[in-house]
Amino acid sequence: MPVTSTLTTINITRIADPTLDFSLISGLETLTISGSVVPVTITLPNVYTNLSVFTIQNIDIPIIDISNYINLEQINFSNTDVETLLLPNSTTLTRVTIRNHNLQGTHNFASLSNLDRLTITNNENTPLLIDVSQNLALTEIDLSSNDMTILDITQNVLLEQIDVSDNEFTTIDLTQNVLAENINVSSNNLPTLNVTQNVLLEYLYASNNLLPNLDVTNNVELRQLIISNNLFTTTGLDLTENVELN
């Protein structure tokens, strides 16, 4: 790669070179790397303060270390099978997207104080453990398809979009997420679900659980309700207050 401070955007696809060295491209702001037929070693810029958007797709990279890049705003790692992710202490990184991964252990996002949108989906290995208790700015979270059994989002009171579908939850507390408009808890093992405090809720997806009943009488804004494959009886659901339902 050239030595330059003026090149700000790089998009590389279908990589055949096993080594990508961006260390001397000091002004790089947006980096997208997609697809490789060989294992790839990526060296990021030596100047840590300019990179703001970083995307890796369809490349196996077990360790991704971006801990020095404090001005990142968005990261997107899809189909990387990443096992270890080292994050910066950052007030600018607001969007994190990780799909098809092998993340191990408990992942704490406290170092990202202004994280707004978190997407981590499709775990390839062990059940995922996520701690977002310090991420008070979160408005959207998607943790679908991770074999998760535990999640605490009671501190994330600004959440508007919640997707925890296709996991192994037997319980989840949504009572503090009073701003939630879209909730997806489909394909879990939930015997109960309390949405009485989610008065702004418009879309609720709860199919493939163990629910014998559901109280949606407080959810007067509800527009769509999908609850197939549960244990409902004829007295388990009162929709008289849900006049907006399609």
Side-chain angles (χ1 to χ4, degrees), residues 29-46:
E29 297 175 2
T30 302
L31 175 60
T32 302
I33 306 169
S34 302
S36 176
V37 297
V38 296
V40 177
T41 299
I42 301 171
T43 303
L44 294 175
N46 288 336

Side-chain angles (χ1 to χ4, degrees), residues 39-229:
V40 177
T41 299
I42 301 171
T43 303
L44 294 175
N46 288 336
V47 174
Y48 301 137
T49 53
N50 291 322
L51 190 64
S52 61
V53 180
F54 185 23
T55 300
I56 304 175
Q57 297 175 329
N58 304 315
I59 302 173
D60 287 348
I61 301 182
I63 300 174
I64 299 177
D65 185 353
I66 52 174
S67 57
N68 290 322
Y69 296 87
I70 58 174
N71 289 331
L72 277 166
E73 298 174 5
Q74 300 180 38
I75 58 173
N76 184 346
F77 304 138
S78 297
N79 301 311
T80 63
D81 285 338
V82 58
E83 298 176 5
T84 302
L85 176 62
L86 303 176
L87 294 168
N89 285 301
S90 173
T91 59
T92 61
L93 185 50
T94 59
R95 298 188 182 184
V96 171
T97 301
I98 304 168
R99 294 189 172 94
N100 295 315
H101 62 90
N102 271 323
L103 291 175
Q104 308 291 313
T106 301
H107 288 266
N108 186 310
F109 293 87
S111 65
L112 309 180
S113 58
N114 290 322
L115 185 63
D116 175 61
R117 299 182 185 180
L118 176 63
T119 298
I120 305 179
T121 64
N122 297 100
N123 190 8
E124 300 288 342
N125 199 343
T126 57
L128 186 65
L129 296 171
I130 292 288
D131 182 354
V132 291
S133 60
Q134 303 300 310
N135 302 105
L136 306 185
L138 271 177
T139 63
E140 297 184 18
I141 192 167
D142 181 355
L143 299 175
S144 57
S145 303
N146 285 307
D147 292 329
M148 298 180 70
T149 60
I150 299 172
L151 179 66
D152 182 357
I153 52 175
T154 57
Q155 304 303 310
N156 310 105
V157 298
L158 299 183
L159 279 172
E160 298 173 1
Q161 312 283 330
I162 301 170
D163 188 345
V164 293
S165 60
D166 195 20
N167 281 291
E168 300 293 334
F169 293 116
T170 58
T171 182
I172 188 163
D173 186 347
L174 303 172
T175 59
Q176 304 305 307
N177 310 114
V178 297
L179 300 182
E181 298 175 356
N182 189 318
I183 294 175
N184 189 343
V185 295
S186 299
S187 300
N188 280 283
N189 298 309
L190 296 172
T192 62
L193 182 65
N194 184 353
V195 291
T196 59
Q197 304 304 307
N198 310 109
V199 296
L200 300 181
L201 189 62
E202 296 183 16
Y203 303 92
L204 176 59
Y205 307 97
S207 297
N208 301 308
N209 279 287
L210 305 172
L211 303 174
N213 52 63
L214 181 66
D215 183 357
V216 290
T217 55
N218 287 350
N219 311 108
V220 297
E221 302 294 328
L222 200 61
R223 296 177 179 274
Q224 189 165 36
L225 176 64
I226 307 296
I227 51 173
S228 57
N229 296 321

